[in-house]
Amino acid sequence: MKDLWTRRDVMKGLGAAAVTAGFAGMAGTVHASTKETDEPGMQGLGGSCRLPPLPYAADALEPHLDRETLTIHHDKHHAGYVKGFNTALEALAQARAAGDHSMIKHWSRELAFHGAGHALHALYWENMGPDGGEPAGDLRKAMERDFGSIAAFQDQFVAASVAVEGSGWGVLAHEPYMGHLVILQAEKHQDLAIWGVVPLLVCDVWEHAYYLKYQNRRAEYVKNFIQVIQWKAVSTRYDQVKGLKGYR
Ligand code: MN3
């Protein structure tokens, strides 16, 4: 029936792949929904995902995060993930069309690596801003409920981010199975994930995120990252997903 495939079938396939890769509900141009959409980034057989622009000027987070690091990080590193994600989507579409999945391990890894990298970076940019503010509203209540206090959250988030082994991320997430907030360490992009959680706040602790300014002082970088968290965006995101429930 391959010749009868419609765009709707392709969309379903991409949606399932997105969920499998573990970035359901994440920000940016990735849409994990299985319903057909005309959103850019989900059209056509292969990948047409686009690099979202930085939501502020490249020097807007100075002096905490410098313009050069942000520019290279966004324009080179994040762009590379988008390119790799599209390549994987295209290769998987071709493999499905050809009925040849002999390279499925390779392309599944590529899909997860670049797809997760793209989604986490889109969220990382959105998480930061020049006028950060404080956690408020339901997010604040949930943080106090699940961590004891905002200070206790911050201590754990910094400790977890600093202690990521090698390259990876510190992640604040809404865990929908029991309906609470959790702080996770993600090694690389795609390992040690709880599938189905919706990340709310992520801190990139790959060296390229801080090395030009902070060299090996990751702890100093993470502490300064805390200063530029855009809590309004984190709250909005939490409000969007807080009703999500798995099983209890
Ligand atoms: Mn990065």
Side-chain angles (χ1 to χ4, degrees):
M1 298 291 284
K2 291 186 199 81
D3 53 335
L4 295 179
W5 274 20
T6 63
R7 183 163 155 264
R8 182 181 298 273
D9 294 314
V10 173
M11 306 306 283
K12 281 179 183 168
L14 293 181
V19 171
T20 303
F23 46 79
M26 299 181 86
T29 53
V30 174
H31 299 270
S33 168
T34 54
K35 71 176 191 283
E36 186 167 2
T37 172
D38 290 319
E39 288 278 341
M42 288 297 286
Q43 294 176 344
L45 266 174
S48 53
C49 192
R50 293 187 302 208
L51 178 67
L54 271 179
Y56 31 73
D59 61 358
L61 306 182
E62 297 263 14
H64 304 290
L65 290 177
D66 63 287
R67 184 190 56 78
E68 189 179 11
T69 299
L70 242 68
T71 302
I72 295 171
H73 196 176
H74 177 269
D75 296 357
K76 303 297 181 189
H77 292 274
H78 188 174
Y81 291 120
V82 172
K83 187 165 182 281
F85 187 45
N86 284 331
T87 299
L89 288 169
E90 285 162 13
L92 285 163
Q94 286 172 15
R96 286 192 298 273
D100 176 6
H101 288 296
S102 55
M103 294 292 286
I104 191 63
K105 280 179 73 175
H106 172 73
W107 289 117
S108 295
R109 286 174 192 274
E110 288 289 289
L111 180 74
F113 179 73
H114 292 290
H118 166 48
L120 286 170
H121 281 89
L123 181 53
Y124 177 69
W125 308 129
E126 190 184 299
N127 279 173
M128 298 187 289
D131 53 351
E134 297 286 330
D138 284 349
L139 173 65
R140 187 181 189 92
K141 285 181 203 160
M143 291 172 76
E144 289 172 345
R145 178 193 67 203
D146 296 334
F147 301 114
S149 67
I150 302 305
F153 153 77
Q154 187 169 312
D155 285 350
Q156 186 180 336
F157 187 82
V158 168
S161 298
V162 170
V164 169
E165 195 168 281
S167 301
W169 301 73
V171 181
L172 167 67
H174 169 66
E175 185 278 286
Y177 304 112
M178 287 159 286
H180 61 176
L181 299 175
V182 290
I183 295 167
L184 299 171
Q185 294 176 310
E187 292 183 358
K188 297 186 283 181
H189 294 308
Q190 70 279 38
D191 294 350
L192 301 180
I194 298 174
W195 305 120
V197 303
V198 181
L200 300 174
L201 170 68
V202 293
C203 178
D204 189 344
V205 292
W206 286 59
E207 287 184 346
H208 64 233
Y210 61 87
Y211 208 83
L212 283 179
K213 183 177 173 71
Y214 295 101
Q215 290 82 50
N216 62 327
R217 304 187 307 280
R218 183 189 280 184
E220 193 180 324
Y221 156 74
V222 173
K223 282 174 191 158
N224 278 298
F225 165 82
I226 296 288
Q227 301 304 312
V228 295
I229 293 172
Q230 176 76 342
W231 284 108
K232 212 187 301 177
V234 181
S235 294
T236 299
R237 184 170 175 75
Y238 179 68
D239 287 338
Q240 287 168 344
V241 304
K242 64 190 178 188
L244 276 179
K245 286 173 186 161
Y247 45 82
R248 290 175 190 259

